[in-house]
Structure formats: C-alpha cells, structure tokens
Amino acid sequence: MEDRLHSALAIVRVVVTVNMVGLNAYRRDNFEHPTAGLAIVVALALWTVLAIWLYQDRARRTPLLLVADLAITLAAMAATPWVKSEGFNATIPGFWVMGALLAWAIHWHWRGGLAAAAAIALFDVVPRTELDQGNYGNVFLVLIGGPIVGYLCESLQRMARERDAAEHAAAAAEERTRLARAVHDGVLQVLAMTQRRGAAAGGEWAELGRLAGEQERSLRSLIRQQDTVPTAAGGRVDLAGALEAMATAHPVRVEVATPGTAVLVDAHVATETVAAVRACLDNVLAHVGPGATAWVLAQAAPDAVTVSVRDDGPGIAPGRLEQAQEEGRLGVVSSIRGRVEELGGTARVESGSWGTEWELVVPLA
C-alpha cells in the first residue's frame, strides 16, 4: 500500500513541479538575483526527478531520504528572502513543498505529517515582514492537511493489512473445507465401515474395529482443530473443535458428537466451558476408572450452547454431592457449576444405575 501511495505521490510531484517552474518563470521580474533563482528552480526540478526514482524502491525509502527531501524543501524556502527580497509574496518552491510533506505523511503517518507541516509553516512565516490573509490560509491548510493525510494513509495501510488477513483466512478455510471433504469421502468412511464390520465379526476383528474407531475420532478431531484458532471477528473460537481436541487427549475413552458447523463463541466462554467439561471427564476417570466410556454431546441454539457429558458408571449415590460440599470438597461446585454459573449458565446433573449425565447450558449473549 505504501508503494502505491508513493506512486500516486510521484504524479503529484510532477504536477507541482510544472506549476513551480511556470509560476517562477511568470514572476521572474520579482527576482533580485535571477541567476540564483534559476539555479534553485532547476535544482528543485532535478531533485523531483531523482526523488521519484529513489522513492520507487522501498529499500531506498530510508529516514535519511525523507530528511534530505524535507531539508531541500526548507533550504529553498529559506533562500527565498535573499533571492527575491524581504518583502516577497510567494516562496520559490510554492506548492512544490507538498512532495516532502506528503512523503512524511505516508511514511510516518499523522505524526510525520504534523512534524513536516510544522517545519514548513515555520520556514514560511518567520522570514516574512508581514502576514496577510493568503499567507495565513496557506499555513493553516498545511498544518491541517499534513496530519489528516497522514492519518488517512495509516488507515489505508491498516485496512490493507486487515484485507490481506481476511483473504488469507478465507483461503485457509476454503482449503480446509476441500481437504475435509476429501478425507470424509475417503478415509473416514473406510474407518467407520471397518469399525462396524469388526464389531460384527468379533474376536480379533473386533479389536481392529475398535482401533479403526479410535483413528476415525482422532482424524475428525484433527480436521476440526483447524478451526479452533481465533478468527478475525474479535477473537472468537470454535467450541466444537475445542471439545473434540480436549476429548481426544483425555485418558478416558470419549466419544464426541458436535454440530456439522463451527460453534463460534468468545474465547473466554470456550475456555471456561472446555474446563468444565474436562472436570466432568476427570470425575469419570477418578470415580469410574480408566476403562470407562464417556459421551460428550454439543448442541448449538441461537441464544445458548448445551453440552452434555454422560458416562456408563454406577452413578452417584443420593446426597453424595451435598455431603462432599459439606466436607469442603468443592471440586464439583467450583470446577463445574462455578465455571458455568460465572458465564450466566446452569449446570444440572442426573444420575442412576445407568451412569451420570451433566447438562451444561451456556448462554451466548
């Protein structure tokens, strides 16, 4: 974007240089030292050609070049009272000063535009014996225009970076979708079929089917984990992908069922919800054992996300949770209910001989 702005500035430099040469030729009778005035005009025209070439390459676009550009502008303005007279009306460079001013605004944004504008205004006002309305207007426009142009340049460059990031994210999402479709149509279907056939055949084939089922879940989780990174829309993450990634790494055998699309929530909501689900699974590991199986089901509604965690253990004895709380064991209260309630949600538990099921409802608002 900065390269494009300097390309546009090159056109401005040519226009203001032609204007400077024409005006000084028209006002040649105002010069007390016409030879020196001609030399300055020629030097500024030659510097324009050199500056356009220098600014084309970002490697040459160093602070030294910008300082030299502004120094040449200020030197031409400072020489005006001697070349013309102390009662001069217009400086020799005139609107040619816009070249250095805009270059500073492009490179150093509003701070650079303000600094260059202040220096140009100072060198324009100090040598004058009197300040008329036209001179005041020019100085005022320079002081206002420099920072404004710098701010607009900064905004354009920031928008360009955001556009590039959005295009990169869109391209990555499209590629993930293509790869997921290819994997789903091929590998995942074969693994699922192997799991079903192995379980039906029994014996060693059942073990093979079980391994195929584990690989299928791991591969699905790997695909979904590509969406768990924060998006450009305020750091939102995919809760479904985060649940699958967490469940895959847990010692307990976990089967996760999530919606077919990403469930985007705030990063804090995702972190606390995943932590509450992990606490449920830790309880399964501690009270049922590593051989237990747990099921995690995530359902998304427009206003809330419901996550159910169920196991195949013997269940919780009636009054056991209340007794643990009275004894000061606050694992369930703080790790599960506390986290969900801090998010404005509810955590409800049901238990029986069939096992234990937690239902965590987290509002999205």
Side-chain angles (χ1 to χ4, degrees):
M1 179 58 68
E2 187 171 339
D3 294 341
R4 298 181 65 180
L5 291 173
H6 278 289
S7 298
L9 178 58
I11 300 175
V12 175
R13 286 182 184 271
V14 172
V15 173
V16 296
T17 300
V18 172
N19 179 74
M20 177 200 64
V21 173
L23 287 179
N24 282 291
Y26 177 76
R27 299 168 180 170
R28 60 185 179 276
D29 296 336
N30 298 335
F31 287 87
E32 290 188 357
H33 301 85
T35 303
L38 176 62
I40 292 176
V41 171
V42 172
L44 294 180
L46 293 176
W47 173 252
T48 299
V49 176
L50 181 60
I52 291 175
W53 176 76
L54 290 173
Y55 278 103
Q56 283 180 348
D57 188 354
R58 68 181 63 184
R60 297 190 295 261
R61 207 179 299 147
T62 61
L64 179 61
L65 174 60
L66 291 158
V67 171
D69 195 5
L70 183 60
I72 291 173
T73 301
L74 299 179
M77 297 178 68
T80 299
W82 174 73
V83 175
K84 289 189 173 182
S85 64
E86 293 184 357
F88 71 95
N89 183 23
T91 61
I92 295 175
F95 293 113
W96 187 86
V97 301
M98 292 174 58
L101 174 64
L102 296 180
W104 276 56
I106 292 173
H107 190 77
W108 284 311
H109 307 142
W110 70 268
R111 295 178 181 83
L114 179 60
I120 292 173
L122 182 66
F123 274 72
D124 188 28
V125 171
V126 170
R128 297 184 184 276
T129 56
E130 61 180 16
L131 187 64
D132 58 23
Q133 185 176 355
N135 303 136
Y136 167 78
N138 291 335
V139 170
F140 180 77
L141 289 177
V142 166
L143 289 174
I144 292 295
I148 290 178
V149 172
Y151 175 78
L152 292 176
C153 292
E154 182 181 11
S155 299
L156 287 173
Q157 293 171 5
R158 183 172 60 251
M159 289 170 61
R161 290 192 297 268
E162 293 174 353
R163 178 205 61 195
D164 293 341
E167 290 180 350
H168 176 75
E174 183 177 355
E175 180 64 13
R176 286 197 301 268
T177 301
R178 186 188 67 82
L179 292 175
R181 189 183 303 116
V183 171
H184 181 271
D185 292 342
V187 180
L188 291 180
Q189 291 184 359
V190 172
L191 290 175
M193 183 178 66
T194 304
Q195 181 184 13
R196 292 193 302 269
R197 296 288 181 85
E204 295 182 355
W205 292 104
E207 177 66 15
L208 178 61
R210 186 187 65 81
L211 295 176
E214 292 180 356
Q215 293 301 313
E216 180 195 4
R217 290 190 296 272
S218 299
L219 188 54
R220 287 185 186 275
S221 176
L222 181 62
I223 295 173
R224 292 297 300 272
Q225 287 178 42
Q226 304 303 315
D227 294 326
T228 60
V229 296
T231 65
R236 296 169 69 81
V237 300
D238 179 20
L239 177 59
L243 288 174
E244 292 188 359
M246 179 272 302
T248 304
H250 201 276
V252 173
R253 182 172 181 267
V254 182
E255 296 185 7
V256 181
T258 59
T261 58
V263 181
L264 295 179
V265 299
D266 292 338
H268 175 67
V269 173
T271 301
E272 293 300 309
T273 304
V274 169
V277 173
R278 183 182 293 110
C280 295
L281 296 178
D282 290 343
N283 284 337
V284 175
L285 177 64
H287 299 290
V288 183
T293 301
W295 295 267
V296 176
L297 171 64
Q299 297 175 300
D303 58 345
V305 175
T306 302
V307 181
S308 300
V309 183
R310 182 176 179 271
D311 64 62
D312 58 355
I316 303 175
R320 185 68 184 91
L321 295 180
E322 290 76 8
Q323 180 183 356
Q325 184 175 352
E326 293 175 357
E327 295 173 354
R329 300 169 61 185
L330 304 178
V332 171
V333 175
S334 60
S335 298
I336 303 175
R337 285 178 176 161
R339 282 192 169 97
V340 176
E341 289 176 357
E342 285 181 359
L343 298 175
T346 59
R348 185 171 59 90
V349 60
E350 292 184 0
S351 185
S353 59
W354 45 267
T356 302
E357 180 177 4
W358 281 93
E359 184 180 75
L360 315 178
V361 180
V362 179
L364 296 180

